[in-house]
Amino acid sequence: MPFYHKLGEIPPKRHTQFKKPDGSFYYEQLFGTIGFDGMSTNSYHEQRPTQVKDIRKQYSIAPKVAKANNIQSYRFHGFKVKPEQDYLDSRKIVLTNTDCNIILAAPKESTRDYFYKNTDADELIFIHKGSGKLRTHLGNLDFKYGDYLLVPRGIIYKLDFDTEDNRLFIVESYRPIYTPKRYRNWFGQLLEHSPFCERDLRQPQELETYNESGDFLIKIKKQDEIIEMVYASHPFDVIGYDGYNYPYAFSIHDFEPITGRVHQPPPVHQTFETDAFVVCSFVPRLYDYHPLAVPAPYNHSNIDSDEVLYYVDGDFMSRNDIEAGHISLHPAGIPHGPHPGAMERSIGKVKTDELAVMVDTFKPLKVTEEAIKIADDDYFKSWLE
Ligand SMILES: [Fe+2]
């Protein structure tokens, strides 16, 4: 998160003595990224955050690749991914490369008997269905339909769901996920032409602090494996922290669309960036208002990036036969565009209610076995008249 946040109790000066009411010490932890060059947070713990008690087991969760070199356009039926009780079991990687994993998940249960920490990757969790609370060692965030939850690598978390009906679209990124640089000034403040501003980014305001000893299981993801580590103190034992590195939420409904007289290019929808992919939000908006405007997009060539669109809600103007929960994959190397009739249908329309999340990766994506299970194999012929 590119701006400062303070929650709970912290001493007036960093790296100085900070004592509990009984005279014993709180334990400071510098939680940093990119060596000591990236964003960091200083947190103060009831107990040492280093008390590993046991390392139980280690197992692979690496995606199984079905198609490593793909040039076929696909449609995937995201809602065909079966709901599963456990959050981690429910996460199905459908597309993958060395920079990111694109994951669908339909968890039924809150994470109860363990904590989770991804040491490899930032996680961007888009809430398509469901509501609840993201609980982390740096504070909690309530979430509901349309929220992006950005969980930086290393954050220990749990997800509490209000019901069993949850659908998540997750991008797991080995590169840090930031707001677009071109929307920030040299201090990091979001500029006037940004489609969202700091007020739209929700920071944790509630901190859970437990001073408990026992056996606390953290399932830690590292290099495509889960390692089960048992700690002797409760992972949520932070009394306070300050800094720049913490989880935050942003609702897609707070994205203010940029429109024009003629069709605007995808970058106007950009919401997040990394140096390996971008994330864009397509939200309800007025269509182009030139008297001869064609609101549907023109055919375009994905020569050097794969384009993944996750359809959330509304009627997607350029596609025929697309429903909520569908994913389209338009791979690098070939052009794609509106389906037959979509361009003609769009003329004269004044607005759209479409809601979608797009991920454009700069390296090609591999199609996994989980994706093939929900794939529509004939989609690549859907432009034939
Ligand atoms: Fe496209």
Side-chain angles (χ1 to χ4, degrees):
M1 177 68 123
F3 59 96
Y4 179 79
H5 183 48
K6 181 170 78 172
L7 187 61
E9 294 172 48
I10 58 172
K13 196 156 185 69
R14 61 186 172 170
H15 318 321
T16 58
Q17 295 177 26
F18 184 30
K19 288 187 176 174
K20 301 177 185 176
D22 68 2
S24 62
F25 286 102
Y26 289 113
Y27 299 94
E28 186 182 31
Q29 178 184 185
L30 176 70
F31 183 79
T33 57
I34 318 177
F36 288 93
D37 262 2
M39 289 187 276
S40 67
T41 289
N42 260 306
S43 54
Y44 297 87
H45 299 251
E46 291 279 4
Q47 299 197 43
R48 287 184 185 84
T50 49
Q51 298 181 78
V52 177
K53 207 168 176 180
D54 196 10
I55 299 175
R56 284 189 186 157
K57 57 179 175 175
Q58 189 163 339
Y59 48 91
S60 173
I61 54 164
K64 294 194 175 75
V65 171
K67 217 170 175 182
N69 186 9
N70 177 57
I71 201 164
Q72 178 177 333
S73 295
Y74 273 104
R75 175 174 57 189
F76 303 110
H77 297 259
F79 282 2
K80 285 190 179 169
V81 167
K82 289 197 174 55
E84 292 196 30
Q85 299 299 125
D86 178 67
Y87 171 56
L88 292 183
D89 291 345
S90 78
R91 290 164 53 121
K92 307 297 180 197
I93 297 173
V94 288
L95 298 166
T96 184
N97 66 21
T98 51
D99 298 317
C100 65
N101 293 319
I102 293 175
I103 299 169
L104 291 169
K108 293 171 81 171
E109 274 182 3
S110 303
T111 36
R112 289 206 188 87
D113 55 353
Y114 66 90
F115 301 80
Y116 173 58
K117 174 161 95 165
N118 191 332
T119 63
D120 288 330
D122 291 8
E123 294 192 354
L124 183 66
I125 304 171
F126 178 78
I127 310 294
H128 191 170
K129 274 190 176 186
S131 61
K133 193 187 287 275
L134 168 71
R135 298 166 60 205
T136 84
H137 80 285
L138 295 181
N140 300 339
L141 290 161
D142 290 330
F143 64 79
K144 60 180 187 302
Y145 165 58
D147 280 341
Y148 291 103
L149 301 172
L150 202 152
V151 186
R153 65 204 59 200
I155 296 286
I156 303 168
Y157 78 81
K158 288 182 171 226
L159 278 172
D160 280 7
F161 299 106
D162 294 333
T163 73
E164 291 194 343
D165 188 16
N166 305 294
R167 290 276 171 188
L168 313 176
F169 174 78
I170 304 170
V171 187
E172 189 184 8
S173 173
Y174 300 109
R175 323 297 305 167
I177 302 175
Y178 302 131
T179 53
K181 178 78 180 75
R182 71 178 187 283
Y183 289 139
R184 284 184 270 121
N185 68 17
W186 62 96
F187 289 111
Q189 184 177 11
L190 289 161
L191 290 160
E192 281 297 304
H193 68 291
S194 171
F196 53 89
C197 79
E198 283 82 358
R199 293 183 201 181
D200 300 315
L201 306 177
R202 284 143 44 207
Q203 303 163 305
Q205 302 297 338
E206 176 189 76
L207 196 58
E208 287 184 68
T209 310
Y210 303 95
N211 187 5
E212 291 177 14
S213 299
D215 290 348
F216 299 93
L217 174 62
I218 308 184
K219 295 189 179 182
I220 295 179
K221 178 168 186 268
K222 184 167 184 174
Q223 301 204 43
D224 278 342
E225 291 189 324
I226 294 286
I227 304 162
E228 296 195 355
M229 298 187 80
V230 180
Y231 275 78
S233 58
H234 198 297
F236 296 170
D237 74 338
V238 172
I239 188 83
Y241 71 89
D242 75 335
Y244 283 59
N245 194 33
Y246 52 85
Y248 66 93
F250 171 65
S251 172
I252 197 170
H253 306 301
D254 286 330
F255 186 93
E256 296 301 330
I258 295 167
T259 60
R261 263 166 56 91
V262 296
H263 190 82
Q264 297 294 294
V268 302
H269 306 282
Q270 194 184 348
T271 314
F272 298 101
E273 75 177 12
T274 73
D275 55 15
F277 65 87
V278 299
V279 177
C280 299
S281 303
F282 288 80
V283 302
R285 62 193 182 280
L286 294 178
Y287 272 144
D288 324 318
Y289 42 88
H290 186 285
L292 295 176
V294 180
Y298 29 80
N299 297 300
H300 47 286
S301 282
N302 286 26
I303 281 301
D304 47 16
S305 65
D306 275 20
E307 180 197 287
V308 176
L309 254 173
Y310 180 70
Y311 301 88
V312 180
D313 203 359
D315 185 21
F316 216 78
M317 56 143 161
S318 62
R319 307 256 82 88
N320 299 339
D321 195 21
I322 282 283
E323 295 168 15
H326 283 181
I327 295 177
S328 63
L329 168 65
H330 298 135
I334 56 170
H336 67 277
H339 276 133
M343 189 268 278
E344 294 81 353
R345 272 201 314 272
S346 76
I347 291 172
K349 296 248 171 82
V350 295
K351 66 183 178 66
T352 175
D353 294 325
E354 71 188 16
L355 197 64
V357 175
M358 186 171 82
V359 181
D360 273 15
T361 64
F362 307 150
K363 280 188 204 151
L365 289 159
K366 301 175 196 311
V367 179
T368 70
E369 290 179 6
E370 293 292 346
I372 294 296
K373 287 183 197 167
I374 56 168
D376 177 352
D377 219 24
D378 284 337
Y379 174 77
F380 75 98
K381 298 179 188 168
S382 61
W383 287 268
L384 292 173
E385 302 225 30

